[in-house]
Amino acid sequence: MNKDRGFNYYDAYLKQVDYANELACNLESAIVTGDFGSRELVDALHTIENDADEVCHEVHAHLLTDFVVPFERGSMAALANAIDDISDTIEDVTIQAYYYHCSGIEPAGRETVSLVVLAIQSLRSAILLLGSLPTHDGKLKGHLLSVQDRESECDRIYIDAVHELYGRTDVDVEQRRIAHAILSAVEKISDAVETAAEELEAIIVEYR
């Protein structure tokens, strides 16, 4: 498919990832500045997430009406949904922090968010090469492997953090429950990024 004619699916996927990256960077910045858990952060990220939703809806609309599309329609829709889920999970972290009046986050959560930012950037690098298959197939796979490595590191951090949390005696039951909930919400972001990478990999396999 000529990317210069009609709807550009490659650019749409990049827009989706860029919105997810913006959300993740804003979350990371809010943790550093102490704005984590604020209503202002919830509102700011909700606006970005709505813009991300619009791009996802646009992809689906064109998949329903375009006569020719670059790859299998179901796989393309799945990729759009998976990228959109990244934005949704990031927004969910801020909403839960607001629910629980959290002004801070466990160090493990902060470390995970930083890794998520890197994973999203690797995903973006992979999608940037999607339109040049099979020329840059190897490079694209390398970026996807980087996403998987980041997600594995996030899993390790989460498991150790929850183990340590339930061994502490300086927090009460409610504080522990809330900290666990926030850590779980953050960990789900890394899972969402990995799922998007897997959907992208599925497209590569189908393309062969």
Side-chain angles (χ1 to χ4, degrees):
M1 177 180 177
N2 187 341
K3 293 186 289 181
D4 296 325
R5 298 176 60 188
F7 182 72
N8 194 320
Y9 290 94
Y10 305 99
D11 281 353
Y13 288 138
L14 283 175
K15 286 180 182 178
Q16 283 190 281
V17 176
D18 284 341
Y19 280 128
N21 184 64
E22 183 179 0
L23 287 162
C25 288
N26 283 348
L27 175 59
E28 184 178 37
S29 177
I31 292 172
V32 173
T33 60
D35 294 323
F36 184 68
S38 68
R39 180 71 206 193
E40 290 75 17
L41 180 64
V42 171
D43 291 342
L45 266 61
H46 183 65
T47 298
I48 299 170
E49 194 275 332
N50 277 343
D51 291 339
D53 276 345
E54 287 299 317
V55 181
C56 186
H57 295 327
E58 192 175 10
V59 171
H60 279 276
H62 280 277
L63 285 173
L64 286 173
T65 59
D66 287 356
F67 183 69
V68 179
V69 296
F71 306 105
E72 197 275 324
R73 293 176 194 271
S75 297
M76 293 181 67
L79 177 58
N81 290 339
I83 300 173
D84 191 59
D85 284 344
I86 300 172
S87 295
D88 289 341
T89 55
I90 295 171
E91 183 188 23
D92 185 59
V93 171
T94 65
I95 292 173
Q96 291 205 41
Y98 180 69
Y99 285 161
Y100 298 130
H101 296 263
C102 293
S103 58
I105 189 172
E106 293 288 321
R110 180 172 178 172
E111 184 178 0
T112 299
V113 171
S114 295
L115 286 170
V116 161
V117 170
L118 296 175
I120 292 174
Q121 291 170 356
S122 293
L123 178 65
R124 186 188 192 281
S125 296
I127 290 177
L128 194 60
L129 298 174
L130 182 59
S132 60
L133 287 175
T135 305
H136 297 297
D137 185 64
K139 289 183 179 179
L140 197 158
K141 289 179 183 176
H143 292 308
L144 295 182
L145 181 60
S146 178
V147 173
Q148 294 170 354
D149 289 343
R150 303 291 186 189
E151 195 277 335
S152 294
E153 180 65 10
C154 289
D155 279 347
R156 184 195 63 78
I157 293 170
Y158 174 73
I159 291 170
D160 290 344
V162 174
H163 172 78
E164 180 182 349
L165 179 63
Y166 281 91
R168 290 172 56 181
T169 59
D170 60 328
V171 294
D172 61 31
V173 174
E174 184 66 8
Q175 289 174 320
R176 186 178 291 112
R177 182 185 70 82
I178 292 173
H180 189 179
I182 297 298
L183 285 173
S184 294
V186 171
E187 200 273 336
K188 285 180 182 178
I189 306 173
S190 68
D191 289 341
V193 182
E194 184 185 41
T195 297
E198 289 172 347
E199 295 295 350
L200 180 53
E201 188 172 17
I203 288 178
I204 298 171
V205 172
E206 291 173 357
Y207 183 81
R208 293 173 185 164

